Amino acid sequence: MTTSSASDQLIARLDDVLSRIDAAAERAGRDSSEITLLLATKTRTPQEIAVVVDLLRQRNRTIAVGENRAQEIAKHADPLLAGNEVPRHFIGRLQTNKARDVVAFAELIHSVDRGDIADALERRAANASLVRDVLIQVNTSGEESKGGYAPTPEAVGPILERLRASENLRPVGLMTIGANTSDADEVRASLRGLRALRDQARERFGAPELTQLSMGMSGDLEIAVEEGATIVRVGSAIFGARA
Ligand SMILES: *Cc1c(COP(=O)(O)O)cnc(C)c1O
């Protein structure tokens, strides 16, 4: 009996994720080249990340890497990753005392969920003479464990205006973590809600620059693609279960 090697298993998982994205895009009449596959790299080693980046490049995919934890940013300076020119994003809960590291690392910060975070990011970006794109995190599931603004234009309007007034931060869309349930209808409702909110905010606040929708993870990426995600954030479905 032969057992497949770890690398064969990785390739199989990766190609499975890509075909899930492609099939969902096709159902929705979308082109999968317009969807960024963000690798959620928390807990993964530079070696593991570099292998997946190479495989995705061979497959001509639009990719980004997303780190969750400020403490793990340093690993992206490893020679296996530094200089690979993959766009770097920050997707985790933000702390004001880590704002400097996050701004230095990430060209797109997904998780602005409070005003004091916007203040800290702006100050650090200004100090470093950087302009950073940001997403406003929205809590579309109502789950208390999740950060983010309530999914209404009234809740999102003030932070949007605050970010638009900044010279160093540019709001470009919304991000959510979908409902944590196996009920696909509930997940779909929460993700559809993010898109509806983005469209309402564009209209109501005259903000056509809100183009991005960061939503969908390993378990719900098809639904997210069908509902208009421009960035899906995938970890375990590619790398395997986290320890
Ligand atoms: C870990 C993480 C992901 C990826 O989760 P998987 O279920 O491993 O695909 C996506 N988004 C955020 C914010 C995460 O923390």
Side-chain angles (χ1 to χ4, degrees), residues 68-83:
N68 270 78
R69 301 174 185 164
Q71 297 85 329
E72 289 191 54
I73 283 174
K75 80 184 176 202
H76 293 268
D78 186 283
L80 289 170
L81 299 176

Side-chain angles (χ1 to χ4, degrees), residues 31-63:
D31 186 339
S32 43
S33 69
E34 71 193 35
I35 299 158
T36 297
L37 173 55
L38 177 149
L39 295 173
T41 55
K42 60 175 174 276
T43 77
R44 311 302 174 176
T45 64
Q47 170 85 45
E48 289 174 290
I49 299 165
V51 166
V52 173
V53 164
D54 279 347
L55 290 167
L56 285 165
R57 285 222 159 123
Q58 287 162 20
R59 288 158 177 72
N60 257 318
R61 291 288 171 152
T62 307
I63 60 173

Side-chain angles (χ1 to χ4, degrees), residues 65-225:
V65 296
E67 197 48 76
N68 270 78
R69 301 174 185 164
Q71 297 85 329
E72 289 191 54
I73 283 174
K75 80 184 176 202
H76 293 268
D78 186 283
L80 289 170
L81 299 176
N84 67 5
E85 295 187 357
V86 178
R88 283 143 179 208
H89 297 189
F90 191 82
I91 62 175
R93 225 337 117 89
L94 286 157
Q95 294 170 267
T96 53
N97 65 353
K98 296 291 192 306
R100 184 170 53 163
D101 295 342
V102 169
V103 158
F105 171 72
E107 62 187 67
L108 176 61
I109 300 161
H110 289 228
S111 38
V112 173
D113 63 355
R114 321 189 293 283
D116 67 333
I117 281 295
D119 296 343
L121 293 174
E122 174 173 64
R123 190 158 58 86
R124 294 308 191 171
N127 285 346
S129 302
L130 290 167
V131 176
R132 291 310 197 196
D133 289 343
V134 299
L135 305 178
I136 298 170
Q137 185 170 348
V138 177
N139 184 341
T140 52
S141 66
E143 291 163 20
E144 277 186 25
S145 60
K146 295 192 174 136
Y149 291 89
T152 65
E154 293 73 21
V156 166
I159 186 71
L160 175 61
E161 293 307 335
R162 193 248 169 278
L163 292 168
R164 290 175 95 191
S166 167
E167 304 213 332
N168 298 90
L169 302 177
R170 300 194 312 172
V172 296
L174 305 180
M175 175 271 213
T176 198
I177 299 173
N180 182 18
T181 165
S182 56
D183 180 341
D185 292 338
E186 208 175 311
V187 173
R188 187 178 297 278
S190 78
L191 301 183
R192 184 172 289 174
L194 192 73
R195 182 191 185 138
L197 178 62
R198 196 263 323 253
D199 294 346
Q200 285 172 330
R202 278 164 89 152
E203 177 105 336
R204 170 140 12 153
F205 305 110
E209 69 271 31
L210 299 179
T211 56
Q212 301 295 322
L213 287 174
S214 168
M215 58 189 195
M217 313 189 352
S218 289
D220 58 5
L221 64 90
E222 290 93 340
I223 300 175
V225 167

